[in-house]
Amino acid sequence: MPPGSRPATLSVGAIAEFLSSTALFRQVDRALIDKVAPHLPAAEHDAGATIVRAGSPDAGIGVLVAGRAAVRQVNASTGAATVLEELRIGDFFGEVAALLGTAQSHEIHAVEACTTLTIGKEVMAQLLGKVAPFAHALARRTAMRSVQASVAALRGGHGTAPPPVATAAPTAAAAPAPSDDGGPRMVRVSAYEINDKLLQVIPARTIAMQRLLPLELRGKVLTVGMVDPWNGPAQNELRRLLTTVDLQFVAISADDFNEAFVRLRIDPAVSNRQLAPVTTPESLQFEINVDEPPTKQVNVIGDEVVQLANRLICAAIDRQASDVHIEGEPTGVKVRFRVGGALQDWETLVAQSFAKGLVARLKVLAGLDITERRLPQDGRIGLRVGRREIDLRVATMPTLRGEKVVLRLFEAANMLRPLESIFVEPKTLAIVRAALDRPYGAIVVAGPTGSGKSSTLYACLNERKKSRPDTNTVTVEDPIEYRLGGATQVQVNHAVDLGFARILRGMLRQDPDVIMVGEVRDGDTAQLALEAAMTGHLLLTSMHANTAIAALQRLENLGCPRPLIAQSLALVLVQRLARKLCPRCVKTEVPPPLLLDSLAARGLADKAAPVPMPRAVGCGECNGTGWSGRVAVLEAFELKDNARNMLMAGSSLGDIEKQAVDAGVLLPFRRYAGVLMARNLIAPSEALLVVT
């Protein structure tokens, strides 16, 4: 072993965990990594030590576990050294000599105290021959280094020797060295560990527009990688933004930038809030579950699992996710966030060993039975982040690879939004307010799963509470999704046979003015709810239906007679969510003929007199996507006397729909979508999806 180096003691588990996070082993099965780990010796190296000497015999492939190192070319006659590449944690070296069986061509120098692993020749030969992901990763990285070396040689003046770097000062080697032509040096983004805190230093829209990345912060020196490192205005903008640090610019390739842009999830959900304080695990304040005895509230979960659960919740809050999916896989725990209707993977790697502990931690917070793994369970987690109140609905499901957990996030600021922010179209807003002012009648909010029905119900309850503060409001929910002040909320408990119908019967003896039934699922609940709406109570409820007429049909299928439906229903709302256009970059233009034909066929445009319509463009504010959040597209059916008479007379639902549209009491999706397009809120393509 060379001077300044000595054997290191690392546990087999720590080695395996580290290897699974490196580029070489990331796609390799964890069971195989566990078998390989005991055969990789570890070594420690002092700062300034030579880890591998140029000309030494091949000893295998080295992997940097901790510290920093550099690949250097040493001039045999003068002893001067040129830094060719900086190595970061997870990088490997010596692969060319190992693959060709030749002596080492370059020197590996410890810039600071380092720890390395060595993949010996025998282990490497078995991995290359039997493990395709390892071989592919090695080939990709070797090819990339070859290309980068060629580019550096071309920039250096067609083979002209670059100026030497003094070997007497390791600190100089640690800093990015200038390129051969005196400009910024080319580096690899993967050689740096870019975390969330580092990304907060530069606004996300600046990262996207100027094509740059913060790579490293050492003391007061911030290293910034730029696709165009000679972009003076971009550098000046950074200097104006960051007055407390010294900037050091290096060059990165466009491919490196694009890969990092996707990998680091610099997406609209994060970029719009990049300048806001990031939620920290320490800021979470969980509610104590008063329904559980103290013995069940004891935290029996390890500290690492508790921290992981807190980080996961913080990531969901910062991304403005609506749902979090946590499911086991053979290689680890897969965590995905639903942002803007699309699922995104969490960039943090969660080892398989955390699977059961993470599920148990979430169950403890939700007051669920941690010993029951065979049946689905539902619960709720309430927490505060500063002044923000956030509710998480927890649902577990037994699967082939353990339990899957889905969290649905509700925030008070979103649940209690003013009606104007939900109902953009004036006539629909007026219909809703008129229905809420009634002393009795049923308001049904329908739509597919995840379309915002609960948010609409809570917004309506809040509006009624503000306009009629003397109202006694009682709700029955499964589960309670948000704690609403001034309302009596009851949660369904199937363990003691406390269902919707039973609670509803008890509610009617509590002198309620307003009743909210979270969801109509069975015939008893539907009939009791409509009877309550007919006998002097204002009822709000939700159900699954795709159109207003389909909601009437659904009530019929649940066994409700038509006279009861006609006399109790006041308003049916059906909503779907569409992507909302970014207000900063939206543009209008006449749609192409093919799109115009489709719009005209659906009643969304006049083919004879086409008008400009909005389209998504993309800017730094929306991360180049053209979209910013979602908006509800609604269908509203206000039941008037004609519709009631036709229902009781047994007319077909098709005839009732036609009469309601002609009378103007049924506002279809296409009319509402047309209003949203006219206000540049949704694109024609989104309107087509909603109407279709």
Side-chain angles (χ1 to χ4, degrees):
M1 191 164 287
S5 302
R6 57 198 170 277
T9 302
L10 290 178
S11 67
V12 174
I15 293 176
E17 194 70 29
F18 168 76
L19 289 176
S20 64
S21 66
T22 63
L24 275 179
F25 290 89
R26 191 170 294 143
Q27 303 299 327
V28 177
D29 186 73
R30 179 56 187 263
L32 183 58
I33 294 176
D34 292 337
K35 293 180 180 179
V36 171
H39 302 285
L40 306 187
E44 294 179 349
H45 312 274
D46 296 332
T50 300
I51 301 173
V52 175
R53 289 193 178 279
S56 62
D58 160 45
I61 298 177
V63 183
L64 187 63
V65 179
R68 298 176 62 203
V71 181
R72 307 197 308 183
Q73 187 173 22
V74 181
N75 189 312
S77 58
T78 64
T82 302
V83 176
L84 302 178
E85 180 184 0
E86 289 186 351
L87 299 176
R88 294 296 191 277
I89 295 173
D91 282 349
F92 58 89
F93 51 87
E95 71 277 7
V96 175
L99 291 170
L100 299 178
T102 60
Q104 299 287 346
S105 57
H106 300 106
E107 178 182 276
I108 309 300
H109 174 79
V111 176
E112 58 187 33
C114 296
T115 304
T116 61
L117 295 173
T118 301
I119 305 174
K121 289 186 286 187
E122 294 183 0
V123 176
M124 186 190 71
Q126 294 186 29
L127 289 172
L128 288 174
K130 299 179 181 179
V131 185
F134 175 89
H136 292 163
L138 182 63
R140 281 196 301 270
R141 182 62 72 192
T142 304
M144 183 181 294
R145 283 177 170 169
S146 175
V147 171
Q148 289 175 341
S150 300
V151 172
L154 289 173
R155 291 184 60 202
H158 308 287
T160 305
V165 177
T167 60
T171 54
S179 67
D180 302 333
D181 58 1
R185 189 172 62 84
M186 192 80 170
V187 301
R188 291 182 297 111
V189 174
S190 60
Y192 296 83
E193 291 187 9
I194 306 175
N195 53 38
D196 292 337
K197 290 185 178 180
L198 190 59
L199 285 174
Q200 296 168 36
V201 174
I202 300 177
R205 61 180 178 182
T206 302
I207 292 176
M209 294 178 67
Q210 305 296 352
R211 295 168 66 79
L212 53 84
L213 285 170
L215 300 178
E216 186 180 59
L217 180 62
R218 296 178 66 85
K220 288 190 175 182
V221 178
L222 176 66
T223 302
V224 179
M226 303 181 66
V227 174
D228 182 8
W230 292 274
N231 186 343
Q235 295 179 1
N236 292 335
E237 180 182 352
L238 280 186
R239 291 189 178 99
R240 287 194 299 271
L241 289 172
L242 309 173
T243 57
T244 59
V245 295
D246 298 323
L247 297 175
Q248 194 167 44
F249 298 99
V250 295
I252 58 176
S253 69
D255 289 342
D256 256 6
F257 173 82
N258 294 334
E259 186 273 337
F261 194 87
V262 175
R263 172 171 54 85
L264 297 171
R265 302 291 182 189
I266 309 175
D267 54 22
V270 177
S271 63
N272 290 337
R273 294 162 47 84
Q274 202 64 211
L275 296 177
V278 174
T279 308
T280 60
E282 295 77 16
S283 65
L284 302 181
Q285 299 177 10
F286 294 99
E287 290 182 5
I288 297 175
N289 190 359
V290 297
D291 297 329
E292 292 293 330
T295 55
K296 286 194 175 183
Q297 295 173 12
V298 176
N299 182 11
V300 295
I301 312 300
D303 290 340
E304 292 183 355
V305 176
V306 171
Q307 294 172 7
L308 174 64
N310 290 352
R311 292 202 309 271
L312 185 152
I313 293 172
C314 290
I317 294 171
D318 287 336
R319 292 168 182 261
Q320 296 180 333
S322 61
D323 302 88
V324 183
H325 293 247
I326 305 160
E327 50 196 318
E329 288 195 335
T331 57
V333 180
K334 187 173 186 179
V335 179
R336 295 183 292 174
F337 302 96
R338 188 175 293 280
V339 180
L343 284 174
Q344 302 176 350
D345 290 335
W346 194 21
E347 61 275 7
T348 300
L349 180 67
V350 181
Q352 180 64 36
S353 57
F354 283 88
K356 291 183 179 179
L358 181 58
V359 172
R361 172 59 178 168
L362 294 173
K363 281 186 172 183
V364 168
L365 292 174
L368 303 179
D369 185 357
I370 64 174
T371 63
E372 179 57 74
R373 302 186 182 94
R374 300 166 300 173
L375 298 174
Q377 297 187 71
D378 293 319
R380 170 192 170 275
I381 300 173
L383 61 92
R384 294 178 63 88
V385 184
R387 296 184 178 180
R388 300 169 63 185
E389 295 182 9
I390 298 174
D391 280 46
L392 285 76
R393 191 171 71 188
V394 183
T396 69
M397 176 69 69
T399 69
L400 182 64
R401 297 191 176 97
E403 290 182 279
K404 175 177 179 177
V405 180
V406 175
L407 310 177
R408 175 156 289 184
L409 281 73
F410 300 93
E411 186 169 356
N414 295 329
M415 299 297 287
L416 302 181
R417 290 185 297 166
L419 292 182
E420 294 86 348
S421 66
I422 299 177
F423 304 103
V424 177
E425 201 271 331
K427 187 172 182 179
T428 305
L429 177 62
I431 290 173
V432 173
R433 282 187 165 149
L436 288 173
D437 286 338
R438 292 169 57 102
Y440 59 89
I443 300 174
V444 175
V445 181
T449 301
S451 59
K453 298 188 296 294
S454 297
S455 298
T456 300
L457 285 176
Y458 277 110
C460 289
L461 283 179
N462 190 51
E463 177 80 9
R464 170 74 182 204
K465 187 179 70 172
K466 289 191 298 184
S467 61
R468 301 279 294 275
D470 58 339
T471 297
N472 176 25
T473 302
V474 187
T475 75
V476 50
E477 304 170 67
D478 183 22
I480 295 173
E481 295 174 346
Y482 173 72
R483 302 292 175 92
L484 183 65
T488 302
Q489 295 176 273
V490 184
Q491 180 163 318
V492 168
N493 188 349
H494 296 290
V496 294
D497 195 26
L498 187 65
F500 279 104
R502 190 168 185 178
I503 296 173
L504 195 50
R505 288 189 185 96
M507 274 185 181
L508 296 176
R509 294 189 287 270
Q510 293 286 318
D511 186 31
D513 297 304
V514 178
I515 298 173
M516 187 188 87
V517 179
E519 184 179 346
V520 170
R521 301 176 181 174
D522 57 82
D524 286 346
T525 304
Q527 192 151 347
L528 282 169
L530 293 185
E531 287 175 355
M534 190 176 61
T535 56
H537 307 89
L538 180 63
L539 172 81
L540 290 88
T541 188
S542 72
M543 67 188 329
H544 292 285
N546 292 323
T547 64
I549 298 299
L552 301 182
Q553 189 175 36
R554 172 66 174 154
L555 289 172
E556 275 194 283
N557 293 339
L558 289 174
C560 298
R562 278 200 171 192
L564 178 61
I565 297 173
Q567 294 174 29
S568 58
L569 271 187
L571 175 64
V572 179
L573 297 170
V574 187
Q575 61 186 59
R576 303 171 187 171
L577 293 180
R579 290 186 296 176
K580 187 179 178 182
L581 289 164
C582 174
R584 293 182 176 271
C585 62
V586 60
K587 291 186 177 180
T588 57
E589 62 182 23
V590 176
L594 184 62
L595 179 58
L596 189 60
D597 290 342
S598 299
L599 293 169
R602 298 290 178 180
L604 293 167
D606 184 0
K607 189 177 179 181
V611 297
M613 294 184 177
R615 70 173 180 88
V617 178
C619 64
E621 188 69 22
C622 62
N623 207 22
T625 64
W627 312 102
S628 176
R630 292 189 290 177
V631 64
V633 185
L634 293 112
E635 181 170 275
F637 183 17
E638 185 183 18
L639 274 80
K640 296 288 189 179
D641 290 341
N642 286 340
R644 298 183 198 279
N645 294 335
M646 292 181 72
L647 266 173
M648 288 188 287
S651 301
S652 69
L653 293 179
D655 291 340
I656 295 174
E657 181 180 17
K658 184 177 183 305
Q659 188 277 333
V661 172
D662 293 341
V665 295
L666 174 56
L667 308 178
F669 282 115
R670 63 176 180 273
R671 184 181 184 281
Y672 202 99
V675 172
L676 295 182
M677 283 194 297
R679 297 191 177 189
N680 292 344
L681 292 176
I682 65 172
S685 57
E686 289 293 305
L688 276 176
L689 287 174
V690 170
V691 172
T692 304

